[in-house]
Amino acid sequence: MTDSGQTVAAHYDALLAERYTWMMGGAAACQSNARALLDATGVTANERDIALDLGAGGGYHARALAERGFEVIAVDSSAAMLKELSESCAGFGVTPLQADLLDERAYSRYSPFAVILCVGDTLSHLATHQDVDRLIAQCANLLTTGGKLVLQFREPPADMSPQNSVFTTRSERDRIMECVLHFWPDRVWVTDVVHEWVGGTWRSMRSTYPKLRLTVDEIVESARVAGLGVQLNEPHARQRLLVLNRL
């Protein structure tokens, strides 16, 4: 794993994993958003279809896939996120698997997959653009003929002024989360700052990690090289949604 990869993993372990679902609006909102994303893709399951969810997090997309009839292999590198996934997906056909997303050997034995999901900020958490190309190529090789790779990612934001690059992510009476962005040509450094009211006093913590700046053109070109065609390319929930199919 690269230094950037270690930084992302350390950030989740130290700060984000136990607060991620809260940051995103809570479990009910996350589940509703996951269902809406799958509705936008038009993905449906046939009997015995297997789906792979890469960067499965708290399991909301995995559960939504299982509700639609897929058997789901849910991969994430965070033990804390997979614990939440196991709880949210209990009773559904979801198999959690702790592994690095680029470790194809960890999940290839379950292939071929009818659908592979890699959504949220997962792609931008990879260390390099070459790693993004590699993951797309791996996914293409693991899909059935006609299978679909669903990608969602944030397109590069315009560089913000220092004043505007500090904002509140979410706030409640006993918890406030803020974000500070630092822009580099190929990535954005994200510092999450959390203030929590604990034992009659405010406790603060902060952690920084990088996100790649990805463009739809580079992702589409990477997909073309991997033998994938573009079935859907549109904005969704303030991110870019791509549905790619194996030709």
Side-chain angles (χ1 to χ4, degrees), residues 101 118-128 131-132 135-136 151-153 212 214 219:
L101 303 190
C118 187
V119 298
D121 287 329
T122 302
L123 275 182
S124 64
H125 284 167
L126 295 176
T128 67
D131 284 344
V132 174
L135 185 67
I136 291 173
L151 302 177
Q152 182 193 33
F153 57 94
L212 287 176
L214 302 172
I219 300 300

Side-chain angles (χ1 to χ4, degrees), residues 97 104-113 142:
L97 183 62
E104 180 182 358
R105 296 169 300 175
Y107 48 81
S108 61
R109 64 183 182 273
Y110 298 101
S111 65
F113 300 106
L142 296 175

Side-chain angles (χ1 to χ4, degrees), residues 45-238:
N46 296 313
E47 188 176 1
R48 298 181 182 276
D49 274 352
I50 304 174
L52 175 66
D53 186 2
L54 293 174
Y60 301 108
H61 295 92
R63 176 170 167 171
L65 284 164
E67 289 172 347
R68 283 162 168 75
F70 289 96
E71 178 184 343
V72 184
I73 309 301
V75 181
D76 204 281
S77 60
S78 168
M81 296 302 293
L82 285 176
K83 181 177 183 296
E84 182 180 346
L85 180 148
S86 296
E87 294 169 355
S88 66
C89 294
F92 293 87
V94 178
T95 301
L97 183 62
Q98 186 175 5
D100 187 294
L101 303 190
L102 290 170
D103 184 8
E104 180 182 358
R105 296 169 300 175
Y107 48 81
S108 61
R109 64 183 182 273
Y110 298 101
S111 65
F113 300 106
V115 173
I116 300 177
L117 246 68
C118 187
V119 298
D121 287 329
T122 302
L123 275 182
S124 64
H125 284 167
L126 295 176
T128 67
H129 292 267
Q130 290 74 26
D131 284 344
V132 174
D133 294 340
R134 176 182 164 192
L135 185 67
I136 291 173
Q138 285 181 186
C139 290
N141 289 333
L142 296 175
L143 284 170
T144 59
T145 300
K148 294 177 173 57
L149 172 60
V150 178
L151 302 177
Q152 182 193 33
F153 57 94
R154 299 180 192 276
E155 296 182 80
D159 290 1
M160 299 178 184
S161 68
Q163 179 175 327
N164 291 331
S165 63
V166 181
F167 55 90
T168 300
T169 308
R170 187 179 179 189
S171 63
E172 291 185 331
R173 185 186 64 178
D174 295 335
R175 177 185 285 169
I176 301 168
M177 188 169 183
E178 299 171 310
C179 185
V180 183
L181 304 178
H182 297 273
F183 295 90
W184 284 14
D186 67 334
R187 67 195 64 222
V188 178
W189 286 90
V190 180
T191 300
D192 286 329
V193 184
V194 176
H195 310 283
E196 294 177 334
W197 184 256
V198 180
T201 188
W202 284 102
R203 180 185 67 174
S204 298
M205 63 192 76
R206 61 185 59 86
S207 180
T208 301
Y209 70 108
K211 286 185 179 180
L212 287 176
R213 303 178 79 165
L214 302 172
T215 68
V216 65
D217 288 344
E218 71 175 290
I219 300 300
V220 168
E221 175 60 17
S222 179
R224 185 194 65 77
V225 171
L228 299 172
V230 179
Q231 182 175 320
L232 180 71
N233 178 357
E234 64 181 31
H236 178 83
R238 295 183 295 179

